[in-house]
Amino acid sequence: MDKTPIDKIIKDLDISASEMRRLVKSFTSEMRRGLSGARSSLKMIPTYASQPTGEETGEFIALDLGGTNFRILSLELKGEGRIGKPAIMSFKLGQKEISGGENNLFDFIASRLKLFLSKNDLLGAKHFLGFTFSFPVKQTGIATGDLVCWTKGFSAKGVIGKDVVRLLNEALIRCGVGNLNISAMLNDTVGTLAAESYEDRNCDIGVIIGTGTNACYSETLSNISGIKNSGSASGRMIINIEWGNFDKLKKTRFDLEVDEMSSNPGEQILEKMVSGMYLGQIAESVIRQTIASPIRGFTTEHMSRIESDVSKDLSNTGRVLKSLGVKTSTLKVRAEVLSICKAVSSRGARIVAACLGAIILKMDPKISSSHTIAIDGTVYEKHPTFAKNIRAGLKGLFGRKASRVKLVLTKDGSGIGAAITAAAASNNRR
Ligand code: GLC
């Protein structure tokens, strides 16, 4: 067992005020490099989507794929920011789809789309579909783009480098569905931004902090290199930052261990310090190497339970530890485990705050307008202090002006936003 005092480890995980400012600078410079086409850990992908007007209307189908569960929705956009109650079906991908061949994945999705259409009486007439595909895709138009790499543990073969809209279209044809027109493909962050800004015109940033993490924001067209005929009337375009890959961060040996064990070592460094797939793994690595070696299978959900423990003797923490192989624990051990969890999660939240600070300053250097940030994802929604720590981080950076920045939980935005983006794209096409 390692003899490094816990206090020292907790200090190494801390992000000081000056480190926050360094992160803001470094994130800004990576954003600029990515936008100009220079080498950068930030892909800064033009999405060919802009903020909705709130006046998009009609019935649309949305397919939301970004993790092991995917959802299909049909919903009516009523204009003036109003949305009808959607019909929703959820499905779970198996290992065969996540890590098998391309046809396994897309044929499965197409067959479930067919089931959804038939259950909801939607086979036959033509429908526009918005396809949320939450992985790094190099878009060349609103409904075309090639997968750059897999993230979040996905590894289906034969998809990298291919147009995912074409793969879905071909699978739909194989399965006999001929009435869907995929009018938009988008990232979940873009869907989240679209869903919130359908109602709130100040919303110009979309964020996901769930299994993975990422953000998008609205950028002036002239700042984006390589974009010609964008068709954007607003003079702006949403950029999918793919911030999960930001790598100008100080890594501890625990981060290095988690990275080495992952399916994509060396990639998605920020994601591995912030998102739900990894926070628990980092905490486990610290706990296992310092105070409780038998511990196995520690997840971000366990962290949330421990960090919500307000009992005097930390008995809930003891129960979590017990369920993970640590039969007995002293109060001292339980308190140390709690401190480690807090240090790991608050580091994640402070990294998010620094990156958000950089994005806001990029759009509005004096913070002279109001900004709404739409956020979705289980970590943001369910962790007891993550949201609060992001706000505190922004306050530390912006002082009083932080009150001009509103953070809004935008539940299921990635599905609803797909319908809105599909509507905007199909209007442009008509
Ligand atoms: C991963 C994906 C990214 C997505 C994020 C949240 O980082 O690469 O595209 O937005 O997860 O789901």
Side-chain angles (χ1 to χ4, degrees):
M1 193 94 24
D2 181 12
K3 286 278 172 277
T4 318
I6 301 293
D7 293 353
K8 161 87 175 66
I9 292 170
I10 287 176
K11 194 157 170 281
D12 289 346
L13 288 166
D14 182 42
I15 297 190
S16 65
S18 70
E19 173 64 2
M20 289 283 282
R21 288 192 295 274
R22 185 197 69 81
L23 281 177
V24 171
K25 270 202 192 139
S26 147
F27 194 83
T28 307
S29 112
E30 288 287 279
M31 277 200 289
R32 288 191 197 283
R33 290 176 60 82
L35 282 174
S36 71
R39 246 180 100 95
S40 167
S41 63
L42 297 177
K43 295 186 181 69
M44 304 300 284
I45 301 170
T47 65
Y48 295 83
S50 36
Q51 285 163 279
T53 59
E55 291 314 313
E56 294 76 4
T57 52
E59 286 260 357
F60 294 89
I61 316 267
L63 165 64
D64 182 6
L65 170 71
T68 38
N69 295 308
F70 72 94
R71 299 182 313 152
I72 303 171
L73 299 81
S74 89
L75 57 96
E76 190 193 351
L77 305 175
K78 300 182 172 180
E80 294 168 2
R82 289 172 310 125
I83 296 166
K85 195 170 161 36
I88 308 182
M89 277 172 92
S90 300
F91 304 94
K92 199 174 166 69
L93 296 174
Q95 216 45 48
K96 191 172 145 219
E97 287 83 41
I98 292 172
S99 54
E102 67 189 58
N103 288 0
N104 291 359
L105 176 62
F106 285 94
D107 284 347
F108 183 75
I109 297 168
S111 72
R112 294 315 181 263
L113 264 167
K114 188 174 184 178
L115 179 74
F116 178 87
L117 295 177
S118 96
K119 283 238 152 111
N120 290 285
D121 242 353
L122 293 164
L123 280 167
K126 274 243 172 273
H127 294 286
F128 285 108
L129 175 130
F131 178 20
T132 304
F133 182 75
S134 307
F135 298 95
V137 169
K138 174 101 191 57
Q139 287 193 235
T140 43
I142 185 69
T144 46
D146 301 346
L147 177 66
V148 181
C149 58
W150 284 120
T151 51
K152 299 178 278 193
F154 271 64
S155 61
K157 289 162 206 76
V159 190
I160 294 176
K162 290 200 192 139
D163 183 347
V164 287
V165 174
R166 183 172 61 78
L167 292 180
L168 178 59
N169 265 324
E170 289 170 357
L172 284 169
I173 291 166
R174 280 198 294 278
C175 133
V177 176
N179 64 326
L180 291 182
N181 181 338
I182 308 175
S183 61
M185 175 191 34
L186 57 147
N187 188 257
D188 49 0
T189 57
V190 177
T192 303
L193 187 156
E196 187 59 37
S197 74
Y198 194 60
E199 301 170 37
D200 175 350
R201 312 299 311 140
N202 289 332
C203 177
D204 47 13
I205 301 181
V207 179
I208 300 286
I209 313 170
T211 307
T213 185
N214 186 16
C216 70
Y217 73 106
S218 170
E219 178 60 274
T220 312
L221 268 182
S222 56
N223 288 340
I224 314 170
S225 89
I227 290 293
K228 287 182 198 97
N229 191 5
S230 78
S232 160
S234 64
R236 304 187 71 81
M237 187 184 280
I238 297 170
I239 294 289
N240 168 13
I241 302 177
E242 285 292 330
W243 82 10
N245 198 46
F246 182 64
D247 64 0
K248 308 284 177 275
L249 293 155
K250 283 193 192 131
K251 288 170 240 141
T252 65
R253 65 197 152 95
F254 310 104
D255 299 304
L256 295 173
E257 186 192 71
V258 169
D259 182 40
E260 250 166 53
M261 304 286 286
S262 70
S263 63
N264 52 353
E267 288 168 28
Q268 299 294 100
I269 298 301
L270 178 144
E271 185 154 271
K272 288 170 187 161
M273 296 186 181
V274 167
S275 80
M277 183 156 175
Y278 305 99
L279 282 178
Q281 293 183 27
I282 300 167
E284 173 180 310
S285 168
V286 184
I287 298 166
R288 188 169 12 86
Q289 291 188 44
T290 54
I291 44 178
S293 51
I295 197 168
R296 287 288 178 278
F298 197 73
T299 62
T300 306
E301 210 184 313
H302 294 124
M303 264 174 94
S304 286
R305 273 168 59 194
I306 290 177
E307 289 182 66
S308 310
D309 190 353
V310 287
S311 64
K312 240 200 196 142
D313 57 350
L314 298 178
S315 50
N316 295 335
T317 302
R319 267 191 283 278
V320 174
L321 289 174
K322 198 166 188 178
S323 73
L324 297 169
V326 185
K327 288 198 193 88
T328 54
S329 57
T330 60
L331 179 57
K332 178 169 174 277
V333 161
R334 296 197 290 276
E336 284 175 348
V337 167
L338 173 60
S339 314
I340 290 166
C341 291
K342 280 191 172 155
V344 170
S345 70
S346 58
R347 180 182 67 161
R350 285 176 73 74
I351 292 173
V352 167
C355 300
L356 287 174
I359 300 169
I360 291 165
L361 292 172
K362 169 101 185 46
M363 288 191 291
D364 180 4
K366 296 203 168 120
I367 323 176
S368 38
S369 335
S370 300
H371 299 270
T372 299
I373 307 178
I375 314 191
D376 198 6
T378 42
V379 175
Y380 183 78
E381 187 190 353
K382 304 235 166 90
H383 185 279
T385 56
F386 211 91
K388 206 175 82 197
N389 286 336
I390 296 176
R391 270 190 218 106
L394 283 169
K395 184 101 200 289
L397 285 173
F398 292 165
R400 275 202 341 256
K401 285 192 175 171
S403 64
R404 299 199 180 144
V405 180
K406 196 163 103 188
L407 272 63
V408 179
L409 173 68
T410 307
K411 274 199 64 79
D412 302 332
S414 52
I416 295 165
I420 296 168
T421 311
S426 60
N427 281 341
N428 287 345
R429 214 183 267 187
R430 273 183 203 127

